[in-house]
Amino acid sequence: MVFPEYDAQCGWYEMLEAVSEFAPLQGNTQFDTVVIGGGFVGTAAARRVAENQPDNSVLLIDALKIGQGASGRNSGFVIDQPHKRELEQYDNRLKQKILNLNYTAIDYLAQQIERYEIDCQWSHAGKYQAAVGARGEKFLNHYESLLKQSGSEYRRLNKQEMQSVFGTDYYSAAIHTTGGMLMQPAALMRGMADTMPDNVRVVENTPILEVLRTASGFTLTTHNARIQCNRLILGTNIFTSELGFMRNRILPVMTFASMTAPLTDAQLARFGGQLDWGLTPADHAGTTVRMTQDRRLIIRNGYRYAHDFNTPQALLPKVRKNHRKGFEDRYPQLKEVPFEYTWGGASGLSGNFETYFGELEQGIFVSCCDQSVGAARGTISGMMLADMACGKRTQRLSDMLEVSGKPSWLPPKALLRVGVPLRMGIARLASRSEL
Ligand SMILES: Cc1cc2nc3c(=O)[nH]c(=O)nc-3n(C[C@H](O)[C@H](O)[C@H](O)COP(=O)(O)OP(=O)(O)OC[C@H]3O[C@@H](n4cnc5c(N)ncnc54)[C@H](O)[C@@H]3O)c2cc1C
């Protein structure tokens, strides 16, 4: 069994000024509801169960400190638009449902951030999607046609606008959509953990080792405690299979990011662009770039089949070198600006692009296989799992079930270990002009 590990390399988490402590769990304990995993899914689920049923005792438990997992190490886009695959495959009615669900998640996060004054660089910045050359432009044109079909608002940028926002003339075309948000993910996750309702107990650095069904519910085992509960919510994403559920259906894929030191005033002037924006590549295998509110540039690219779930440290120097090239190609005027952090993080894909949401077995509510876009989708999934667990039937819950599916079976691991890297290598080669 593999547990999540923290590598002390994730810039978002390492930059946090004060991180609260939650007392560990010892001995035999009992809760009405246990939520395993403190990412987008788990934090939203725990909060919502507690809001729905203030007398319910809830345990939110994570193997790491909350904020150290994938939900605290992503690029910080809370995306409103359906995933490209969904834009391509679904009819307009379903796309509208996904959009509405994502907006519900964004509103929910915004409400918590405002109510509890969570300091997480939350910003209504929208999202840029950009192409470097002809290959990227082809993808961008296709994306534009999908946005048009679904009636979404967007705007094309001209060369001058791209230069004045991004601080580089590296890009040949870009589109801006307005609905999404940006944030500092580890700060958001810490804020969510720190402001849980009174009936939620938060426990960290405590992996669940085993889940057993009993006559009245479940017994969960940790190194120092045994927990009884009536119902279980799994927000464990790629690790769900390690607990014995959804085996051979989740493909863990790792991607990597590097973050610079904050730009000095002189470097900012040479940069020449704006603060607080984020750009995803038109060609999926390209590079995500973010400029934070606190003057740090972030480069994200590279994929790896994460059969081992966690980040192998030996890979990071090579990743940093690739990121350095991406950075200097875009910002030759900032060659002396160092990277302070380089990290990897894994999320889950499926063979048929489906995200799982629902009551997997009686009393076990699960959302997993996030397709690498879990900020909005994970949040709404957590909220709706909580409603489902509390017996609250709503139109939103029906919509959530309608837009989800069951990830298909994957080939045996031995085949994946050959086939997935090969496919990723080919994609990287084909997209090298967009990196
Ligand atoms: C570099 C990178 C960039 C990304 N950028 C974006 C982005 O900009 N926007 C976006 O929407 N998505 C992005 N993603 C994807 C996004 O981070 C994920 O979709 C999202 O975090 C999934 O949330 P989750 O709650 O389902 O799972 P996770 O965040 O993976 O949470 C699962 C939690 O379960 C805990 N856990 C697992 N097993 C156990 C156990 N046995 N016992 C106790 N606890 C356990 C883990 O420690 C973890 O904290 C990115 C991912 C990466 C890696």
Side-chain angles (χ1 to χ4, degrees):
M1 190 166 173
V2 182
F3 301 110
E5 287 168 15
Y6 183 58
D7 52 19
Q9 303 284 340
C10 174
W12 297 121
Y13 190 88
E14 293 305 305
M15 283 176 348
L16 296 174
E17 273 169 20
V19 175
S20 45
E21 290 294 333
F22 293 102
L25 212 53
Q26 302 279 352
N28 288 339
T29 53
Q30 193 162 2
F31 292 86
D32 296 318
T33 306
V34 172
V35 180
I36 310 179
F40 293 112
V41 172
T43 53
R47 183 181 294 273
R48 182 91 162 182
V49 169
E51 287 168 351
N52 285 343
Q53 298 182 334
D55 294 332
N56 200 281
S57 59
V58 182
L59 172 69
L60 172 62
I61 188 163
D62 201 294
L64 303 172
K65 296 282 289 177
I66 288 175
Q68 290 179 337
S71 294
R73 55 179 55 228
N74 53 69
S75 301
F77 293 84
V78 190
I79 299 169
D80 60 329
Q81 287 294 327
H83 198 261
K84 186 163 158 268
R85 194 79 199 178
E86 295 164 337
L87 277 176
E88 270 165 358
Q89 288 186 340
Y90 285 23
D91 64 37
N92 267 347
R93 198 182 54 89
L94 285 182
K95 285 179 213 167
Q96 198 53 49
K97 286 189 176 191
I98 295 172
L99 203 58
N100 291 342
L101 289 165
N102 287 345
Y103 280 131
T104 305
I106 290 173
D107 285 349
Y108 190 69
L109 289 173
Q111 278 165 26
Q112 312 307 324
I113 289 164
E114 190 183 341
R115 177 167 174 200
Y116 297 108
E117 299 180 355
I118 298 173
D119 184 7
C120 64
Q121 299 189 26
W122 182 254
S123 138
H124 200 150
K127 182 166 85 69
Y128 294 96
Q129 185 132 333
V132 176
R135 181 180 167 88
E137 281 175 33
K138 216 169 104 196
F139 281 93
L140 197 69
N141 293 342
H142 176 54
Y143 180 61
E144 181 176 29
S145 70
L146 295 174
L147 289 175
K148 260 192 203 150
Q149 261 171 37
S150 62
S152 302
E153 277 183 31
Y154 69 91
R155 194 173 64 81
R156 280 249 176 200
L157 277 74
N158 62 35
K159 249 329 210 180
Q160 210 178 358
E161 283 174 307
M162 284 189 277
Q163 171 81 52
S164 80
V165 177
F166 309 144
T168 173
D169 61 4
Y170 195 70
Y171 293 98
S172 59
I175 279 176
H176 185 242
T177 49
T178 53
M181 316 299 281
L182 288 178
M183 44 87 184
Q184 203 283 38
L188 174 57
M189 286 299 104
R190 287 314 303 173
M192 292 294 278
D194 289 342
T195 60
M196 281 290 157
D198 290 345
N199 52 327
V200 179
R201 173 145 180 209
V202 180
V203 169
E204 301 178 303
N205 287 327
T206 308
I208 296 292
L209 308 176
E210 191 179 42
V211 174
L212 281 180
R213 187 180 282 280
T214 62
S216 57
F218 303 94
T219 300
L220 313 179
T221 311
T222 75
H223 288 296
N224 297 313
R226 277 164 77 83
I227 308 156
Q228 309 290 331
C229 67
N230 304 327
R231 61 191 179 202
L232 191 55
I233 297 182
L234 300 186
T236 39
N237 200 19
I238 56 168
F239 294 95
T240 306
S241 53
E242 295 299 290
L243 290 172
F245 307 97
M246 302 293 285
R247 281 191 189 280
N248 302 322
R249 291 182 189 271
I250 308 172
L251 184 77
V253 170
M254 179 160 285
T255 184
F256 303 89
S258 291
M259 179 189 271
T260 67
L263 302 192
T264 62
D265 288 346
Q267 287 163 347
L268 197 64
R270 255 186 285 139
F271 163 64
Q274 294 174 10
L275 294 180
D276 198 21
W277 52 265
L279 170 165
T280 58
D283 176 352
H284 184 67
T287 298
T288 297
V289 183
R290 249 194 88 175
M291 172 46 117
T292 64
Q293 292 174 5
D294 55 0
R295 304 173 165 204
R296 293 172 187 267
L297 279 154
I298 298 166
I299 298 284
R300 186 219 52 83
N301 66 34
Y303 288 98
R304 163 180 180 269
Y305 170 41
H307 56 89
D308 42 12
F309 293 82
N310 293 302
T311 318
Q313 298 304 290
L315 274 184
L316 293 182
K318 188 173 170 218
V319 167
R320 197 175 297 120
K321 202 171 149 205
N322 289 340
H323 287 174
R324 198 68 222 168
K325 178 168 180 340
F327 176 73
E328 292 183 9
D329 285 351
R330 284 165 178 77
Y331 299 109
Q333 72 275 35
L334 297 176
K335 275 204 161 110
E336 84 282 12
V337 178
F339 284 155
E340 278 192 347
Y341 304 99
T342 297
W343 68 92
S347 45
L349 303 183
S350 57
N352 56 356
F353 303 98
E354 294 288 1
T355 298
Y356 184 76
F357 169 90
E359 187 170 7
L360 186 61
E361 294 175 16
Q362 197 191 351
I364 306 185
F365 302 87
V366 178
S367 169
C368 64
C369 226
D370 60 309
Q371 311 299 336
S372 293
V373 278
R377 183 70 172 251
T379 300
I380 189 68
S381 300
M383 292 165 69
M384 293 300 104
L385 283 183
D387 283 6
M388 199 178 201
C390 296
K392 221 173 143 183
R393 305 287 157 200
T394 61
Q395 183 57 46
R396 256 190 223 120
L397 174 54
S398 308
D399 290 348
M400 194 68 221
L401 287 163
E402 199 180 340
V403 302
S404 307
K406 191 153 185 181
S408 54
W409 282 96
L410 293 167
K413 269 196 175 162
L415 273 184
L416 291 175
R417 287 196 66 172
V418 178
V420 180
L422 192 69
R423 207 168 144 186
M424 285 174 170
I426 292 168
R428 191 179 164 90
L429 198 66
S431 304
R432 62 193 182 286
S433 57
E434 292 293 316
L435 273 170

